[in-house]
Amino acid sequence: MLLSFAISVLLPTARVFGGQIPVVEGVIGGVPSVSSTNELLEFPQVTSNITTPGKLRVVENSGVCETTPGVFQASGYGDLTATESIWFWFFASRKDPENAPLALWFNGGPGSSSMIGLLQENGPCRITNDSTSVTLNPFSWNNEANVLYIDQPVGVGFSHGDTKVGTSEAAAADVWSFLQIFLNDKRFSHLKKNKLALWTESYGGHYGPTFAAHFLKQNSAILERKISGTILNLQVLGIGDGLTNPLAQYPGYLQYAAVNPYHPLVNETVLAAANISWTTPKTGCRDLIIACNAPVWNTTVCSQAQSFCNNRILSPLAGIYDVYYVLTPDPDPYPPQISTYLNNVASKIGGEVQWSQSSRVVYANFANTGDWMRDSSPDLEFVINSGVRTIIYDGDVDYILNFNGVEAMVADLKTIWSPLFKQQKFKSFSVRGQATGLYKNAGKFSYVRIFGAGHEVPAYKYGKLEYGEAAAQMFTQIMRDESLSST
């Protein structure tokens, strides 16, 4: 109860429903004050003391969510140490699970639970509008792959224990350690040989490149016998509506707020003020981001950049609209909240703590290091150049990681496929004959902008299509090592 109170004082009455990116002291993606951070840390989450370091603790076939006959599921914890436990929920593929790829899913935040993706987006079941039950999802991503949803870092969602992680690099190390435990458990060891894919969204624009690059570098270290471990057969990286390169992406807020496919978000006065905040020499957002990514930088500069840019640009340019879906005023009640359902089924699936959508403690850790404003595109370039099939996707109704910024980030990449990508023209992405987006392919790199989709692309429908149908086609093609194509 005390922790809940400490968190609540950080939240305004609006802009808290269903979002992955926390609102801190009235600012979307703000930086907590020292007093707020200290207040949070006075009340650590209560954890279970029954751990098995280096092992999994599993509930098999709980009957919750995936009700397709004969489809295996498992949920529980991988204990990194006696005081650090990472929650997972695994769903076997609905077809040929022994040979199907293994797809990892991570939501963003930083500090948000991957149960968001499971229940609101691409999992075997979808939350109903009353938030108390679920229905089977015919376009679940486990139609094509074994899917593993992971709550990370420690302290997020059902994960619990010492909340030490505050950078994407530290998070990557813990996820790698968790996967070593997971893939060496007899229930899942057969998946070592299968294709591994990493899918993520939102702050996943940082997580995806950083995690994938870490996996590849660990693989090399194993092959060179510098460390011991299991090779991760990473072949796919997918990033939806992601924050990767802030310097390239923040002008997108100015562009999208003024002109987008739907309606302007703010008036000229607000736009003008935000433009000044972007361009002012030395103290403006642009120069603060540059300083954060200079060869010599410090966490104070990066935290200052996050605080200033989100207070002066990201937050005000949203106007009255929901930052995740600009067709509705804030807050949009869709997708429905999932906390009631998850806490009702927690005992059945092995959850050991009260589930919450976002951890303010983890978020504060990241805000204090300034990780938000660091550029993850060098890692993304490394992954692409290493031969990993990569797709970047975005919903055109999303403001908070809008397609203007994401496409500018993609255009700024310097990879083996970048020259070819720039030569391509956008093509219509159709699903069952319904034009539902625009896409480009270049070698093993693809980008697609999905019409009518908000921040959580698989949660939406467009035209005659069903919820998640367009995203499922994209996922299936990429997982089959195909470039995007229309149907």
Side-chain angles (χ1 to χ4, degrees), residues 216-392:
L216 295 175
K217 290 171 183 176
Q218 291 292 91
N219 286 350
S220 295
I222 293 168
L223 291 172
E224 294 167 7
R225 300 189 177 183
K226 294 178 180 178
I227 64 171
S228 61
T230 296
I231 295 284
L232 301 182
N233 188 21
L234 182 68
Q235 296 186 39
V236 173
L237 172 62
I239 302 171
D241 300 70
L243 174 66
T244 300
N245 180 351
L247 185 62
Q249 290 182 243
Y250 266 70
Y253 295 117
L254 298 161
Q255 297 161 3
Y256 192 94
V259 179
N260 62 65
Y262 303 100
H263 53 71
L265 305 186
V266 294
N267 60 37
E268 291 295 330
T269 302
V270 177
L271 277 170
N275 266 295
I276 292 171
S277 294
W278 172 249
T279 57
T280 300
K282 295 185 179 180
T283 58
C285 177
R286 179 176 58 194
D287 283 2
L288 288 173
I289 296 174
I290 291 171
C292 172
N293 288 282
V296 178
W297 62 281
N298 60 62
T299 58
T300 300
V301 170
C302 292
S303 289
Q304 182 185 358
Q306 179 181 344
S307 179
F308 181 88
C309 296
N310 291 352
N311 186 49
R312 301 293 187 92
I313 295 175
L314 192 160
S315 280
L317 288 180
I320 65 169
Y321 299 101
D322 189 284
V323 295
Y324 305 103
Y325 189 77
V326 300
L327 293 182
T328 61
D330 178 71
D332 184 8
Y334 182 84
Q337 65 91 4
I338 59 177
S339 58
T340 301
Y341 174 77
L342 277 172
N343 284 309
N344 283 343
V345 301
S347 61
K348 295 179 182 178
I349 60 177
E352 296 175 342
V353 294
Q354 182 84 0
W355 184 88
S356 60
Q357 181 158 300
S358 295
S359 165
R360 302 291 162 157
V361 176
V362 170
Y363 178 82
N365 287 350
F366 276 78
N368 289 337
T369 69
D371 190 82
W372 181 293
M373 285 302 184
R374 297 288 292 164
D375 181 9
S376 295
S377 59
D379 277 340
L380 180 56
E381 291 165 345
F382 169 75
V383 172
I384 293 169
N385 288 337
S386 296
V388 173
R389 179 172 287 282
T390 302
I391 181 166
I392 308 295

Side-chain angles (χ1 to χ4, degrees), residues 2-19:
L2 290 174
L3 176 61
S4 298
F5 174 78
I7 291 173
S8 68
V9 301
L10 296 182
L11 299 176
T13 55
R15 295 204 195 280
V16 299
F17 196 98

